[in-house]
Amino acid sequence: MRVLGVDPGLTRCGVGVVEGVAGRPLTMIGVGVVRTPTDAELGDRLVAIEQGIEQWLDEHSPGYVAVERVFAQHNVRTVMGTAQASAVAMLCAARRGIPVALHTPSEVKAAVTGSGRAEKAQVGAMVTRLLRLDAPPKPADAADALALAICHIWRAPAQNRLQQAVAAHRTSGAPPTLGASRTQPTPGISRTPGASRTPASSRTPRTLKGPTA
């Protein structure tokens, strides 16, 4: 499995390609950053990101693209830029028919370091160890992109099994089996064993007589 990890951002968009399967040593194929000038127009920056990601897709031909899921921050401007870069990455992959997976930062940290609250330095150190690199990738955006790819390789088998099970259930069209069929009781009909099954509305009322004087 070859995965392109994308750590979206307008100024620095981290990209990294990792190859391997869960349970075996992984190999880094490439890592880098797509940069855009901060003084350029937004549209031009998005075009630059698109061209950069397209170049990585052409060069490495990944089977999957893993993108960091955008989460809420106090800095709305930063969130907007991250979301726009993320959309460009997903568009590039979808246009080629490459499956896209989204992973939250805490999910990636937990997969790589064992803690969803790990610092960036810890993530970089574990990426270096897992990929047997001489030094942590710089800048941190590049290391985060590799961590995204690693996370997806490790989590993909379980996700694929779940998706296949859901798809099989939808295509079968068979309702789930709930055991023996049960007949709903009809209003006004007694279901007490040995009792009369005459509708309550047709029963003759009994007159209660008091003691005779």
Side-chain angles (χ1 to χ4, degrees), residues 4 17 50-62 64-65 89 91-94 96 98:
L4 170 66
V17 181
E50 178 194 21
Q51 293 173 344
I53 294 178
E54 289 286 357
Q55 183 178 352
W56 277 81
L57 294 174
D58 286 337
E59 183 176 352
H60 299 290
S61 300
Y64 300 87
V65 172
L91 172 64
C92 292
R96 295 169 179 248
I98 302 175

Side-chain angles (χ1 to χ4, degrees), residues 84-170:
Q84 289 161 346
S86 175
V88 170
M90 290 188 285
L91 172 64
C92 292
R95 190 159 50 197
R96 295 169 179 248
I98 302 175
V100 178
L102 300 177
H103 300 284
T104 63
S106 59
E107 182 182 356
V108 175
K109 293 176 181 179
V112 175
T113 70
S115 171
R117 298 182 178 181
E119 300 292 335
K120 282 188 174 293
Q122 293 175 281
V123 174
M126 285 305 300
V127 166
T128 303
R129 178 179 178 182
L130 293 170
L131 298 178
R132 304 178 303 282
L133 306 177
D134 296 331
K138 299 291 183 179
D141 309 87
D144 289 344
L146 291 173
L148 275 158
I150 294 172
C151 173
H152 185 69
I153 290 175
W154 285 352
R155 291 178 177 267
Q159 291 179 342
N160 290 340
R161 287 194 296 269
L162 178 61
Q163 291 173 355
Q164 290 172 359
V166 172
H169 176 69
R170 288 177 177 174

